[in-house]
Amino acid sequence: MTTVTVPTSTQRVGQLTGEIIHPLQRDYLVDQSYAVAALARLRRGAGKEFSQVPDLWGLIDTGALHDQPKDGGRPLSEDELTRAEDAVHVVLTLWALHQQSRGTAMHRPDRRYAPGGLGAAVRRLMPSGEITEPVRKRLVRAGNAPDLPALAQRLRDIVVLLRGADIPLDYALLAEQLYRWQEPAGRDAVRRAWGRSFHSYRAPQDNGAVAPASSDHDTTDLTDKDAS
């Protein structure tokens, strides 16, 4: 008997984000005019709520989130839909900013041998074996943002640094995390994930080892007073 795994609402957000980005990124990298124009439109939505940018409603097709899942899962509630749409919107506009004028893919799936989480990406901005405090504090401030618009702006500042250094990010994973971040008890889990990703990253010259990080260390570093 085959067991069917039903995607969670969080996974559905990540899947949809990846499905939207993949063809746009592929065609942008070969200079397809429609993709270049789409990214320009997406960038104009950065820092704005999904409901405030009707120009993107046709471009960011979130219809799949409204559909009754074919695998037996339940439809999303109204609150879940709002959180999902906002997460997808924020992430796509950040990706469009990140991908701007880059000749390689800035959305890359997270892999153990090539970590793509936010914490690992921020760690890659620093010299191997060193912690650059101003950069670390940007991650801390993002983790302690008071609301989604503030978080989007703080993530935007990080993305600008990543773009300048040609460091990719897993935007499907980030969409899942922003969806969870909006849940009543989700912020601590997301901060812990970012902290773990940051502390476990090892540069290639360190033999590619990915060591487990202390969750206590993760949480402390992303909730300190530097976040204000």
Side-chain angles (χ1 to χ4, degrees):
M1 180 177 179
T2 302
T3 301
V4 177
T5 301
V6 179
T8 65
S9 57
T10 302
Q11 291 169 333
R12 290 175 63 189
V13 170
Q15 289 171 358
L16 176 63
T17 301
E19 289 168 0
I20 294 173
I21 289 178
H22 177 72
L24 283 174
Q25 180 169 261
R26 178 197 62 211
D27 292 344
Y28 179 85
L29 292 175
V30 294
D31 205 28
Q32 291 287 323
S33 59
Y34 93 91
V36 174
L39 265 71
R41 288 170 61 190
L42 283 168
R43 288 194 297 273
R44 288 196 292 270
K48 300 176 182 177
E49 295 182 5
F50 182 64
S51 60
Q52 297 176 326
V53 196
D55 181 53
L56 299 185
W57 293 352
L59 183 59
I60 301 179
D61 184 2
T62 59
L65 296 173
H66 296 254
D67 296 341
Q68 172 71 43
K70 297 178 181 179
D71 49 26
R74 64 171 179 80
L76 300 183
S77 69
E78 187 63 32
D79 285 345
E80 289 172 331
L81 279 171
T82 299
R83 293 197 294 266
E85 288 172 343
D86 286 345
V88 172
H89 168 78
V90 168
V91 165
L92 289 178
T93 57
L94 290 173
W95 164 73
L97 175 65
H98 197 167
Q99 189 63 62
Q100 182 183 18
S101 303
R102 300 297 91 188
T104 57
M106 291 297 102
H107 162 60
R108 297 185 192 174
D110 179 56
R111 297 286 185 267
R112 185 169 179 81
Y113 60 83
L118 180 65
V122 170
R123 185 65 183 84
R124 289 183 63 186
L125 289 165
M126 306 176 188
S128 179
E130 299 179 22
I131 298 294
T132 305
E133 274 301 300
V135 177
R136 186 193 72 87
K137 287 179 181 179
R138 287 183 182 272
L139 181 61
V140 171
R141 292 188 72 247
N144 290 279
D147 51 38
L148 189 62
L151 176 57
Q153 183 58 53
R154 295 176 187 187
L155 289 175
R156 185 185 187 282
D157 294 340
I158 292 173
V159 163
V160 169
L161 297 178
L162 297 177
R163 183 182 68 188
D166 275 333
I167 296 173
L169 191 62
D170 185 340
Y171 279 95
L173 173 61
L174 184 61
E176 293 182 0
Q177 291 172 335
L178 294 196
Y179 175 76
R180 291 193 66 194
W181 188 90
Q182 297 174 79
E183 295 175 343
R187 296 189 185 188
D188 285 346
V190 172
R191 281 195 291 257
R192 187 174 299 110
W194 288 348
R196 183 176 296 116
S197 175
F198 178 90
H199 288 291
S200 65
Y201 177 76
R202 296 294 181 270
Q205 56 264 42
D206 294 332
N207 299 318
V210 179
S214 163
S215 60
D216 291 338
H217 192 188
D218 299 340
T219 303
T220 299
D221 270 11
L222 291 185
T223 56
D224 67 23
K225 58 188 176 184
D226 296 329
S228 60

